Amino acid sequence: MKSLGDAKVGETLKIVKIEGAGPAKRHIMDMGITKGTEVFVRKVAPLGDPMQISLRGFELTIRRDDARNVMVDGI
């Protein structure tokens, strides 16, 4: 199992677990990143942060620090 922050462009992954506690975890979940959701890594900024993902029919830009709290598994 790896984190979303370690994912490469073009990968489709399934969210397994969200780590962290309190407001940080709630913030991630409020963006629509929840257990069982499939995500596609669309783009990564030239310097590596932030990254753009597709999930639930929309595009989302997320910081690598937040993405490292999301554990994913390949499909």
Side-chain angles (χ1 to χ4, degrees), residues 23-66:
K25 184 175 182 178
R26 185 79 228 161
H27 176 68
I28 291 170
M29 293 176 71
D30 286 344
M31 289 189 285
I33 301 172
T34 55
K35 185 177 176 180
T37 304
E38 288 186 14
V39 298
F40 175 73
V41 182
R42 185 159 306 281
K43 296 185 215 174
V44 177
L47 296 176
D49 194 31
M51 60 191 306
Q52 184 180 25
I53 59 175
S54 296
L55 71 153
R56 300 178 187 261
F58 66 92
E59 305 293 317
L60 176 69
T61 303
I62 184 170
R63 297 181 308 209
R64 280 246 191 228
D65 287 340
D66 290 336

Side-chain angles (χ1 to χ4, degrees), residues 2-11 13 39 41 44 51 53 64 72:
K2 65 180 179 180
S3 75
L4 182 58
D6 298 329
K8 305 287 185 233
V9 174
E11 284 187 291
L13 306 159
V39 298
V41 182
V44 177
M51 60 191 306
I53 59 175
R64 280 246 191 228
V72 294

